[in-house]
Amino acid sequence: LTSFTDETLIALDTLAERATGLVNPSIRIGVTGLSRAGKTVFISAFVHNLIHGGRLPMFEAQKSGRIARAYLEEQPDDAVPRFQYEDHIDALVSGRTWPDSTRAVSELRLTVDYESASAWGRMFSRGRLSVDIVDYPGEWLLDLPLLGKNFSTFSAESFQLAALPVRADLAEAWVALAGSVDADAAADEMMARRLAETFTAYLRACRQDSRALSTLPPGRFLMPGDLEGSPALTFAPLPNLREGRARPGSLRAMLERRYEAYKTHVIKPFFREHVTRLDRQIVLIDVMQALNAGPAALSDLERALTEILGCFRPGTGNLFTSLFARHIDRILIAATKADHIHHTSHDRLQAIVRRLSDRAAARAGVSGASVDVLALAAVRATREGTVTQRKEELPVIIGTPLAGETIGKDTFDGETETAVFPGDLPKNLDALFDPNAAAGPSEAIRFVRFRPPKLERSADGVSLSLPHIRLDRALQFLIGDRLE
Ligand code: GDP
């Protein structure tokens, strides 16, 4: 009897895909990032700007007028939920509200008819490229490193992280409970549940705005998708495990088995079905939120990015990592929401991302894929202006703060436009990163959330397009070469 291994299955999938690719060239782009990083907004703006001929001067195919048409088509995978593009655009455009965020994996196919840039290419008819966009939670990508870790390692690392100053107070209840149990005592379902619950509560607390931490595996504890309340998530790390095997029938044996089941039944299928098939990847990060929360949050973001980039390093003895890495040729790390700061600070924001990703890439040892960084706003919610104060001209950003946002003593109603002095991003990058810093915001920067903007006239002057910052550069990096 033959049994298909993961490897054969993936190889067969890839072959089938290549065969279809010959008929209709396609490229599969993964869009990921932690919850609220801006995935939904990014994909919506990406597609809207292509379909409606938005202003994209740095996107060569569009600028030179070679794009005949861009339109949505039925996606190739029937079993994957569709990215609800129309609903999201309706929220952004008609309601001027932000769309519902990503909670699970979804997919959308955008097809672009274009004219080849070369005379040679044009001789052979019009080009057509299908762009399959796959949206998935970054929390799930951060699960990949768990495949290489056994329960003891996972446990030890979890407790090390929990001891950091920025986490210790949040982890207190869970650490106390975990410290009180006897790992060798008989397995107890209620204890397993209490441990899982307090552990999850700690992970959640780490995501609140004032902490804004990023490295919080297992990913499904925060973003369960369709596993909400499932027994697959009823485990937690245990402290001070001694060497050797768990005693059969013990609490440790039970949690260990569930941890292994999580790897086999949750992490692996997700990677096999979605991630190993990607050609390119954009990782969105909310640097602004991390900056706001302080040096420990930035360090933690760097740690998460190192883990993520580690997933793209081939030949580390992990089947999934290798397959994934072999396939991916470009990775873009993008800081979103650059419209919260004045354009004079955009390069500084990009420098922060550059530093994050350079250090992460060096530590993770990525080499195969080319990694680029960008500071962008998929949807630009602000304009710029200047305010004169004591004869000094100060750069400001102007937008409509969301209802309930506050600046000083003012609380906004969601209708009133206001000018905000966003502050400067710090020049000294070293001072920005400190894993051992306690929780506490950096000074100087204060971010206000704005409503989505009113639409602008697009390049053709007829349709309306969503304004953005540097979205065209992201498009150029992700698909530009495939439209030549
Ligand atoms: P997801 O969880 O990664 O799908 O995140 P979303 O795309 O839903 O974005 C989360 C929130 O971030 C949105 O509701 C907006 O408030 C904000 N946001 C995302 N992208 C932008 C952007 O380009 N500009 C601004 N001003 N806010 C953004």
Side-chain angles (χ1 to χ4, degrees):
L1 242 154
T2 17
S3 74
F4 286 108
T5 62
D6 283 325
E7 186 152 26
T8 4
L9 283 174
I10 295 169
L12 285 174
D13 277 357
T14 317
L15 272 180
E17 224 152 75
R18 292 269 152 77
T20 343
L22 290 177
V23 188
N24 188 2
S26 67
I27 181 167
R28 207 169 246 277
I29 297 180
V31 179
T32 198
L34 295 179
S35 147
R36 315 222 31 94
K39 301 177 286 296
T40 310
V41 174
F42 176 81
I43 298 171
S44 305
F46 180 112
V47 173
H48 192 271
N49 273 283
L50 277 174
I51 293 183
H52 297 275
R55 279 198 54 236
L56 304 167
M58 300 297 280
F59 180 46
E60 199 277 328
Q62 170 94 314
K63 180 177 155 249
S64 56
R66 292 191 293 104
I67 294 193
R69 193 160 80 97
Y71 48 97
L72 295 177
E73 278 196 309
E74 215 175 314
Q75 67 191 46
D77 306 285
D78 291 326
V80 182
R82 182 174 179 277
F83 179 83
Q84 295 301 353
Y85 169 75
E86 294 79 3
D87 296 353
H88 299 324
I89 287 296
D90 189 53
L92 277 170
V93 171
S94 313
R96 282 187 69 200
T97 54
W98 297 105
D100 291 340
S101 299
T102 302
R103 319 262 340 144
V105 61
S106 70
E107 182 178 312
L108 189 70
R109 167 167 281 198
L110 174 76
T111 297
V112 184
D113 287 350
Y114 65 98
E115 214 163 79
S116 174
S118 70
W120 178 251
R122 276 195 299 277
M123 249 165 58
F124 293 102
S125 82
R126 271 232 164 121
R128 173 169 294 176
L129 178 71
S130 290
V131 184
D132 291 318
I133 303 171
V134 181
D135 174 24
Y136 67 95
E139 285 82 356
W140 299 3
L141 184 57
L142 281 168
D143 268 348
L144 185 62
L146 294 186
L147 291 180
K149 292 172 191 167
N150 63 19
F151 183 66
S152 302
T153 311
F154 160 69
S155 289
E157 289 183 3
S158 300
F159 283 95
Q160 265 162 28
L161 281 177
L164 288 174
V166 67
R167 295 173 180 237
D169 58 330
L170 304 177
E172 226 166 74
W174 164 62
V175 169
L177 179 67
S180 74
V181 303
D182 175 4
D184 292 324
D188 171 0
E189 183 62 46
M190 289 327 284
M191 181 47 86
R193 221 173 85 185
R194 274 179 63 207
L195 282 168
E197 280 166 6
T198 43
F199 179 56
T200 311
Y202 145 65
L203 296 180
R204 277 219 190 94
C206 290
R207 282 297 291 159
Q208 64 189 320
D209 275 350
S210 61
R211 301 294 168 98
L213 299 172
S214 308
T215 320
L216 305 160
R220 301 277 174 154
F221 282 49
L222 289 176
M223 196 48 81
D226 52 5
L227 291 178
E228 187 101 55
S230 148
L233 306 186
T234 317
F235 67 93
L238 286 173
N240 311 320
L241 294 176
R242 51 170 176 71
E243 296 274 313
R245 297 171 68 89
R247 195 177 65 74
S250 65
L251 180 69
R252 173 178 170 183
M254 179 192 203
L255 299 187
E256 204 162 86
R257 196 174 56 247
R258 290 187 181 169
Y259 171 76
E260 291 302 327
Y262 180 82
K263 283 164 47 178
T264 312
H265 300 299
V266 178
I267 307 184
K268 283 188 180 174
F270 170 69
F271 273 85
R272 189 175 60 224
E273 284 156 33
H274 304 289
V275 183
T276 52
R277 295 163 61 205
L278 298 174
D279 300 307
R280 290 185 180 166
Q281 176 70 57
I282 173 166
V283 180
L284 297 171
I285 53 178
D286 195 341
V287 175
M288 226 71 81
Q289 189 202 28
L291 274 172
N292 224 6
L298 263 185
S299 282
D300 203 62
L301 182 58
E302 183 179 313
R303 183 181 301 119
L305 213 50
T306 308
E307 300 260 298
I308 287 177
L309 289 178
C311 301
F312 301 97
R313 174 189 49 194
T316 40
N318 180 325
L319 165 66
F320 286 92
T321 318
S322 311
L323 282 165
F324 183 31
R326 233 184 285 146
H327 220 92
I328 298 250
D329 65 343
R330 288 189 178 189
I331 305 167
L332 181 61
I333 297 170
T336 49
K337 313 180 192 179
D339 56 330
H340 282 89
I341 48 176
H342 196 261
H343 77 265
T344 46
S345 289
H346 289 165
D347 287 339
R348 209 173 283 170
L349 177 61
Q350 201 157 301
I352 295 173
V353 187
R354 166 82 57 198
R355 161 151 176 157
L356 270 168
S357 85
D358 279 355
R359 297 215 313 193
R363 232 182 274 156
V366 251
S367 52
S370 79
V371 181
D372 206 356
V373 302
L374 198 58
L376 64 83
V379 171
R380 174 179 199 158
T382 61
R383 297 177 279 123
E384 293 187 346
T386 47
V387 165
T388 314
Q389 218 174 51
R390 290 190 216 100
K391 293 198 185 139
E392 216 191 329
E393 293 230 313
L394 295 176
V396 291
I397 53 172
I398 303 162
T400 312
L402 288 175
E405 286 289 296
T406 54
I407 303 177
K409 288 192 294 296
D410 298 328
T411 303
F412 291 89
D413 60 3
E415 302 295 335
T416 319
E417 222 182 41
T418 189
V420 178
F421 177 63
D424 285 327
L425 292 182
K427 278 202 199 75
N428 178 359
L429 295 189
D430 283 325
L432 282 179
F433 296 81
D434 179 5
N436 294 313
S442 342
E443 289 138 36
I445 350 158
R446 176 72 216 124
F447 301 105
V448 186
R449 279 168 232 235
F450 295 98
R451 277 183 75 180
K454 296 205 178 87
L455 295 204
E456 291 177 344
R457 292 268 155 223
S458 69
D460 60 18
V462 187
S463 57
L464 293 166
S465 72
L466 284 164
H468 63 84
I469 296 168
R470 297 184 181 178
L471 181 66
D472 46 346
R473 298 189 202 205
L475 287 171
Q476 181 62 27
F477 183 80
L478 292 172
I479 58 173
D481 61 319
R482 297 292 302 268
L483 298 171
E484 276 169 8

